[in-house]
Amino acid sequence: MEIRVLRYFLTIAREGSITNAANFLHITQPTLSRQIHNLEEELGQQLFVRGSHSMTLTPAGMILRKRAEEIVSMTDKTEAEFNSMVNSIRGDIYIGGGETDAIKLIAQIAKDLRENYPCIRYHLYSGNSEDVTERLDKGLLDFGILIQPANITKYDYINIPAKDTWGVIMRKDSPLAKKKSIKKEDLLGVPLICSRQAIAQEQSENEFTEWFGKDFHKLDIITTFNLIYNAAIMVDAGIGYAITIDKIANTAENSSLCFRPLNPRLDSGLNIIWKKNQVFSSAAELFLQKLREHFNQ
């Protein structure tokens, strides 16, 4: 007996006629009649009493209905269990990146994915591009989020549809806070707290040094940082002004700090990268698939 034919049999028993069952199953009446006739021959028993417009079960048919319901139910349960095993993707995904508001986009993908795959765990590492690529090359990360410009020629990547805006974080009672934006000349002669990415040695790979131009060496950089949290504390203490990107430090109305963008405006794009020919875990492979779907790449 085929499971498919048992399903046909149960449908006729439920619907009460070949016509209704054929319509429900989306097959022709002759095909359905032939399948039931073959089943009766295989079992050597008549299963239905056929009327002009209805079909009712014989005693043998009633016995088969009980057994068929058990068989079909067990088949469905077994298939569901094996599908669950296939779909129970679990594992760890390691993501590194600089501080950026774009992490919200990644977080939303992780949240959506976790609703269907609750056994996936995420591990986040914060650092500048050098830190992230080093850990990526060593296999300690699956993915890295880099703020452009960065050398990504040896990696596969997806462009993140977001921009980070550069500017200055300062106390709200500082002189520069009265300005709507910060020009190059405003930064000369004031103590600066700069992200290490903002003062990278190679100007060809650094937008801020290029933005400032030939007088970059005149800046009074008293502190460098790789994470804004501690830098913001130093700004709040009145030590200096922090060159960084927007939306990663608390500059809300209830904060003592504020952000002013650079003028002319300086924006940086972002990439999420991974090693070429990387062999991913099933969890990381699924995450990459969702990244591509979300960002249409």
Side-chain angles (χ1 to χ4, degrees), residues 179 181-188 211-212 261-264:
K179 296 178 174 290
S181 61
I182 303 299
K183 297 181 178 180
K184 300 174 187 179
E185 54 267 27
D186 296 327
L187 299 177
L188 292 172
W211 176 87
F212 201 89
L262 297 179
N263 182 13

Side-chain angles (χ1 to χ4, degrees), residues 40-140:
E40 288 178 324
E41 286 194 340
E42 180 182 353
L43 295 175
Q45 296 286 338
Q46 182 178 345
L47 301 174
F48 292 99
V49 176
R50 292 161 173 82
S52 56
H53 299 291
S54 64
M55 296 179 66
T56 57
L57 290 169
T58 64
M62 293 179 183
I63 293 174
L64 180 61
R65 180 175 63 181
K66 180 180 179 180
R67 298 300 182 211
E69 288 173 345
E70 294 172 351
I71 293 169
V72 169
S73 176
M74 182 58 68
T75 299
D76 290 343
K77 185 174 184 297
T78 302
E79 290 178 352
E81 288 175 348
F82 274 85
N83 286 334
S84 176
M85 290 173 62
V86 172
N87 292 329
S88 291
I89 295 176
R90 62 184 64 231
D92 300 278
I93 300 174
Y94 296 83
I95 305 171
E99 293 176 298
T100 169
D101 188 59
I103 195 66
K104 292 178 180 177
L105 301 176
I106 306 301
Q108 185 59 52
I109 294 172
K111 177 180 179 294
D112 294 344
L113 194 60
R114 187 166 170 77
E115 289 180 358
N116 293 320
Y117 302 92
C119 294
I120 293 178
R121 295 179 297 179
Y122 299 89
H123 305 272
L124 303 180
Y125 171 81
S126 294
N128 60 25
S129 59
E130 183 179 347
D131 299 330
V132 170
T133 53
E134 180 182 0
R135 294 178 72 87
L136 195 67
D137 292 341
K138 290 180 178 179
L140 300 176

Side-chain angles (χ1 to χ4, degrees), residues 128 131 194-201 206 224-227 243:
N128 60 25
D131 299 330
C194 289
S195 71
R196 289 202 281 271
Q197 180 167 338
I199 58 171
Q201 294 298 314
N206 184 284
T224 65
F225 66 91
N226 69 333
L227 298 177
I243 307 296

Side-chain angles (χ1 to χ4, degrees), residues 6-18 21 36 47-48 55-57 61-62 64-65 69:
L6 290 180
R7 294 186 190 277
Y8 290 171
F9 164 79
L10 289 173
T11 302
I12 297 173
R14 184 184 69 246
E15 297 294 327
S17 74
I18 285 285
I36 297 304
L47 301 174
F48 292 99
M55 296 179 66
T56 57
L57 290 169
M62 293 179 183
L64 180 61
R65 180 175 63 181
E69 288 173 345

Side-chain angles (χ1 to χ4, degrees), residues 236-247:
D236 195 29
I239 294 175
Y241 297 80
I243 307 296
T244 184
I245 57 178
D246 195 10
K247 298 180 181 178

